Amino acid sequence: MGSGGGLVLVLAAAVLCGTGGVTGRVLSGQKVCYGDFKRSCYKLAYFQDLSRRVGFEEARQACEMDGGALLSLESEAEQQLIENMLQNLTKSGSGISDGDFWIGLWRSGNELATSSPCPNLYKWADGSISPFRNWYTDEPSCGSEACVVMYHQPTANPGLGGPYLYQWNDDRCNMKHNFICKYGPDNILEKELGDRAEPNHGNFPTVPAGNPYDTSKPEDQYHVIATETGIIPNLIYVVIPTIPLLLLILVAFGTCCFQMLHKSKGRSKTSPNQSTLWISKTPRKDSSMEV
Ligand SMILES: *[C@@H]1O[C@H](CO)[C@@H](O)[C@H](O)[C@H]1NC(C)=O
């Protein structure tokens, strides 16, 4: 089954919608779910526009307001899954390129007063207690850097620790990056029930395939739907801001046509140019008389 290809298609379609609009919003803001983990749905927020990337706290809040949490990586397998997601997106020509991602690992500055070494002070923002870490060589450097990113610099030359890809680095929390959110399947169920009333499903050719796990487990049905509903709000974001622009173009076009019509009528009556000349001459005469 080409289910993997289907997933890529879902993402690619959403990406196309995203970049086709005037807005240029989040490139890949769809939730994708996998059956293997307890909290097993993820959403990448990648901003091509550097000015839209956000600080750690903002990213954390964005995930929480969306019903999830900033990504925790609790095992090598989960790390691999996210790497795979990012690789697929980068390869698909979706426009995802250099730009690190905030993950939900951080330490609060005041803990430095304790005697534990700095690397032990990092904790997961979602409350996970997993000790799994995937630091880049010589990281965490600590100091004023207290929030963690997953490197994503596919075009950068490799450093001493290898390519700057998927390994972690602590950074200053106010730096601007992309981010990844993680969700429990519970939200998905609610979402699916909420969306059931809407007859909008099936507008996209990307519905069936979903992901590699959807044949094995019954709850994965929800995942497919979640992936799909992610696109509809995306489309809305594109269409709604376009409406005023279209109206403006229409009005401009109308005005233009009207004026051209007006002019061509006027020319046939021979003398609009003379009349304007006349108008422009009179004040000059007046002023010369005054002087
Ligand atoms: C990445 O793409 C491959 C091939 O299409 C697919 O098998 C795999 O499931 C995808 N991985 C993720 C995490 O989406």
Side-chain angles (χ1 to χ4, degrees):
M1 231 181 98
S3 54
L7 176 62
V8 172
L9 235 164
V10 169
L11 292 169
V15 162
L16 277 181
C17 295
T19 48
V22 203
T23 49
R25 292 172 57 88
V26 184
L27 248 190
S28 47
Q30 307 73 230
K31 208 177 280 184
V32 186
C33 294
Y34 302 91
D36 281 9
F37 303 100
K38 234 188 292 165
R39 281 166 301 148
S40 49
C41 302
Y42 307 92
K43 200 189 268 186
L44 296 178
Y46 178 88
F47 303 91
Q48 224 159 19
D49 181 354
L50 301 191
S51 69
R52 310 202 55 176
R53 296 183 181 176
V54 298
F56 181 84
E57 198 51 42
E58 234 179 309
R60 184 175 166 168
Q61 277 168 15
C63 290
E64 281 169 11
M65 275 166 59
D66 200 28
L70 207 49
L71 176 71
S72 61
L73 289 158
E74 298 173 83
S75 65
E76 180 63 38
E78 196 171 19
Q79 167 78 25
Q80 285 292 330
L81 181 76
I82 300 297
E83 287 184 18
N84 205 227
M85 259 176 97
L86 285 168
Q87 275 161 4
N88 281 4
L89 271 170
T90 312
K91 266 188 281 178
S92 67
S94 57
I96 285 201
S97 182
D98 290 359
D100 300 337
F101 290 84
W102 287 123
I103 61 174
L105 189 66
W106 70 296
R107 64 183 165 85
S108 65
N110 47 28
E111 277 165 324
L112 277 176
T114 71
S115 55
S116 2
C118 163
N120 297 348
L121 297 175
Y122 282 88
K123 56 180 190 252
W124 294 111
D126 67 357
S128 310
I129 48 160
S130 165
F132 176 73
R133 300 289 184 269
N134 189 38
W135 296 111
Y136 193 81
T137 311
D138 288 339
E139 302 296 349
S141 49
C142 295
S144 58
E145 309 192 328
C147 296
V148 179
V149 291
M150 179 184 281
Y151 273 136
H152 189 257
Q153 307 288 337
T155 72
N157 291 325
L160 289 175
Y164 295 102
L165 276 174
Y166 317 125
Q167 287 166 307
W168 309 351
N169 173 43
D170 56 344
D171 201 354
R172 278 177 290 145
C173 300
N174 60 355
M175 297 301 281
K176 310 291 185 198
H177 294 297
N178 307 298
F179 58 93
I180 306 175
C181 304
K182 182 175 176 179
Y183 307 81
D186 294 349
N187 312 324
I188 304 307
L189 187 61
E190 279 167 31
K191 209 172 176 199
E192 191 259 346
L193 290 172
D195 288 334
R196 207 170 251 172
E198 294 172 21
N200 274 347
H201 291 177
N203 289 347
F204 300 92
T206 48
V207 187
N211 65 53
Y213 308 107
D214 55 1
T215 45
S216 52
K217 294 179 181 175
E219 74 259 36
D220 281 325
Q221 252 184 326
Y222 306 134
H223 300 167
V224 181
I225 290 164
T227 311
E228 175 203 355
T229 49
I231 298 171
I232 291 165
N234 246 21
L235 256 190
I236 289 171
Y237 284 137
V238 173
V239 169
I240 288 178
T242 324
I243 290 170
L245 189 75
L246 284 177
L247 280 175
L248 199 76
I249 289 171
L250 213 80
V251 168
F253 186 72
T255 316
C256 206
C257 283
F258 180 77
Q259 280 185 346
M260 294 222 317
L261 224 94
H262 204 71
K263 268 185 193 165
S264 62
K265 266 185 194 168
R267 262 177 211 142
S268 62
K269 283 177 192 168
T270 65
S271 59
N273 286 345
Q274 280 181 9
S275 72
T276 50
L277 273 175
W278 178 75
I279 288 168
S280 66
K281 269 176 193 168
T282 39
R284 256 184 245 157
K285 274 179 189 169
D286 287 350
S287 64
S288 64
M289 284 174 86
E290 274 168 25
V291 167

